[in-house]
Amino acid sequence: MPKRCVLMLLDGAGDRAQAALGGRTPLQAARMPNLDRLARAGASGLYHASMPGRPLASENAHFALFGYRLQEFPGRGALEALGAGIALGPRDVAVLAHLASLRNEGGVLFLDSDRPSVAEEETAALCAELSTYEGDGIGISFHPYAGLFGILRLRGDVSPHITDTNPMREGAALSEPAALWHHASDNSSLRTSRVLLEYLTWAHRRLDAHPVNAERRRRGLAPVNGMVTQRAGQRRLVERFPERFGLRGASVCAGVVYWGLCEYLGMDCLRMEDGADCGEDFARRLDAAMNALGTHDFVHVHSKAPDLASHAKNPEGKVAVLEALDAAIGRHLERMLGDPDLLVVVAADHSAPSSGPLVHSGECVPVAMAGAGVRVDDVAAFDEVHAARGALGTLRGPEIMYTVLDLLDRSKQSGIMDTPTDQPFWPGNYRPFRMEPEA
């Protein structure tokens, strides 16, 4: 049986039937001889990180795919802060934030432009205006790390259980920060939402009157005069990946949220940036992954490219991305399938429609596994429809990681307790039996 696993993750590869593709999904329409060969070599199935019909963000889906319960999730704000190298204390709250163009109508703020075009020197001047704020014992600091985008760090008696203000639709009114319903009587959550409202009001007024925006208006450009926030998070105590699964894990990925996820879970992170060619990017990541398998038991190789094509609402572009990723996989497939010690897994994390208003949708996505001992079914193509007939059935949440453990001959039979906690892997990290020395 295999001893190590490589998981190729095609972010957002799942989709809906697209009229522009003759009623097929991009995975069905793409020519992917290598992924189809991988499907033929092993077992296929469907996967959902939560439950069918429920759309998930990539970070939530990855968290579940790595074997963790969604209830353990710390919030994306916390993960991005860790990935961006922003110091985050155990009680600090981190909130995703970015500057935007807002419109004030009778005291109600509307999102005019979510991502306005701004010069670097303008960005620096505007972000500096919002660096620190304090109210009711709560300190707020803004830490930009990607242009207008950054993290709000809240310190004091603060809570992550607050609503977003970003409507994620241009032309829509911002939502008022409020305590989540199950924390509606929690003074910390109420105080946090109130102080955040005060801060965002203060930020809008300062930015709206800033000389940078006076000059932009003079040039006929929209002002960058406010901030929108979302996905508050706070660090939690969580079992690290090696302790939970008995595997040394690594990820080859780009993007601060994935880097932060690695740090949070105790997986080694091989950081790479995205270039202009997603196929070449993925080929380089696979090179690094194959090298990492010399020192790691589980290596995750990530591409965000299918998800980005979906967000651009470009079905044909998504097909081209999938074909480029397939070609990159083809450079390594012979070696991977020929290694008796390697379990090869390919999956998407969620569906992302390449047309229509939704960013992500709730349909299941395909998964395929190949390696020594894996049952070989009659599925001959890697897509959402063919995978539904596969021998893996439908996997949910952490079940991919449990299946990987099983296929690596590391799964623990129910009822065996060689450690105080019920670890899913065997043999567990138990303490050796030691006899007391004779008197």
Side-chain angles (χ1 to χ4, degrees), residues 39-113:
R40 290 193 299 272
S44 294
L46 293 176
Y47 176 67
H48 198 291
S50 176
M51 63 182 73
R54 183 184 184 190
L56 290 184
S58 294
E59 65 273 13
N60 298 93
H62 269 78
F63 196 71
L65 190 145
F66 286 153
Y68 290 80
R69 300 184 304 276
L70 293 179
Q71 297 91 322
E72 300 175 283
F73 187 68
R76 178 158 179 161
L79 294 181
E80 290 217 13
L82 292 174
I86 298 166
L88 200 62
R91 294 184 56 81
D92 293 349
V93 167
V95 187
L96 300 188
H98 68 272
L99 275 59
S101 181
L102 307 182
R103 182 178 77 257
N104 185 339
E105 290 188 8
V108 176
L109 294 179
F110 289 78
L111 181 62
D112 263 358
S113 177

Side-chain angles (χ1 to χ4, degrees), residues 340-360:
D341 291 333
L342 186 62
L343 174 67
V344 184
V345 182
V346 63
D349 54 347
H350 60 76
S351 281
S354 51
S355 68
L358 293 184
V359 178
H360 295 169

Side-chain angles (χ1 to χ4, degrees), residues 106-159:
V108 176
L109 294 179
F110 289 78
L111 181 62
D112 263 358
S113 177
D114 188 51
R115 301 189 178 198
S117 177
V118 189
E120 274 188 37
E121 58 272 18
E122 293 178 316
T123 298
L126 293 171
C127 289
E129 195 74 7
L130 308 179
S131 56
T132 58
Y133 179 89
E134 186 164 343
D136 199 10
I138 294 177
I140 301 180
S141 55
F142 180 52
H143 303 264
Y145 62 83
L148 299 175
F149 289 74
I151 294 289
L152 280 183
R153 186 179 63 196
L154 283 61
R155 286 185 160 168
D157 182 16
V158 290
S159 165

Side-chain angles (χ1 to χ4, degrees), residues 378-390:
D378 60 359
V379 174
F382 184 78
D383 61 54
E384 303 90 339
V385 175
H386 282 85
R389 303 199 301 264

Side-chain angles (χ1 to χ4, degrees), residues 20-337:
L21 302 177
R24 298 171 294 171
T25 70
L27 281 170
Q28 288 177 303
R31 290 169 293 178
M32 303 187 302
N34 298 297
L35 284 170
D36 292 347
R37 180 185 172 193
L38 177 58
R40 290 193 299 272
S44 294
L46 293 176
Y47 176 67
H48 198 291
S50 176
M51 63 182 73
R54 183 184 184 190
L56 290 184
S58 294
E59 65 273 13
N60 298 93
H62 269 78
F63 196 71
L65 190 145
F66 286 153
Y68 290 80
R69 300 184 304 276
L70 293 179
Q71 297 91 322
E72 300 175 283
F73 187 68
R76 178 158 179 161
L79 294 181
E80 290 217 13
L82 292 174
I86 298 166
L88 200 62
R91 294 184 56 81
D92 293 349
V93 167
V95 187
L96 300 188
H98 68 272
L99 275 59
S101 181
L102 307 182
R103 182 178 77 257
N104 185 339
E105 290 188 8
V108 176
L109 294 179
F110 289 78
L111 181 62
D112 263 358
S113 177
D114 188 51
R115 301 189 178 198
S117 177
V118 189
E120 274 188 37
E121 58 272 18
E122 293 178 316
T123 298
L126 293 171
C127 289
E129 195 74 7
L130 308 179
S131 56
T132 58
Y133 179 89
E134 186 164 343
D136 199 10
I138 294 177
I140 301 180
S141 55
F142 180 52
H143 303 264
Y145 62 83
L148 299 175
F149 289 74
I151 294 289
L152 280 183
R153 186 179 63 196
L154 283 61
R155 286 185 160 168
D157 182 16
V158 290
S159 165
H161 305 296
I162 56 174
T163 59
D164 302 338
T165 65
N166 186 0
M168 299 182 68
R169 303 183 320 280
E170 292 184 348
L174 274 61
S175 51
E176 182 177 282
L180 300 181
W181 72 270
H182 50 295
H183 289 267
S185 60
D186 173 21
N187 287 332
S188 179
S189 300
L190 292 169
R191 184 184 300 109
T192 302
S193 59
R194 185 181 69 251
V195 174
L196 181 59
L197 174 62
E198 294 169 0
Y199 171 80
L200 294 176
T201 302
W202 171 84
H204 169 61
R205 289 172 176 158
R206 287 178 73 88
L207 292 179
D208 201 52
H210 198 282
V212 164
N213 282 318
E215 175 61 20
R216 286 179 66 87
R217 289 186 178 101
R218 189 189 68 78
R219 291 158 49 204
L221 299 174
V224 182
N225 60 347
M227 177 182 284
V228 291
T229 60
Q230 62 193 106
R231 301 184 187 182
Q234 188 176 50
R235 298 186 74 158
R236 299 182 181 183
L237 288 176
V238 67
E239 193 175 27
R240 310 279 273 178
F241 187 86
E243 285 74 44
R244 178 160 293 196
F245 294 107
L247 303 173
R248 184 175 180 189
S251 175
V252 190
C253 55
V256 292
V257 68
Y258 304 101
W259 300 343
L261 186 59
C262 287
E263 181 174 338
Y264 188 67
L265 297 182
M267 298 173 68
D268 292 330
C269 186
L270 285 69
R271 299 189 178 201
M272 293 197 173
E273 298 289 350
D274 287 326
D277 187 325
C278 67
E280 288 301 317
D281 288 345
F282 204 59
R284 287 190 299 107
R285 288 171 201 177
L286 284 170
D287 284 335
M290 298 307 288
N291 289 332
L293 286 168
T295 52
H296 295 77
D297 310 298
F298 175 86
V299 181
H300 160 259
V301 193
H302 180 263
S303 173
K304 189 70 173 173
D307 199 43
L308 296 177
S310 295
H311 295 174
K313 301 303 177 185
N314 184 354
E316 295 88 350
K318 188 169 181 178
V319 169
V321 162
L322 292 169
E323 291 180 346
L325 296 177
D326 181 81
I329 291 169
R331 301 187 194 182
H332 297 272
L333 190 59
E334 195 73 39
R335 176 183 172 189
M336 289 192 290
L337 292 180

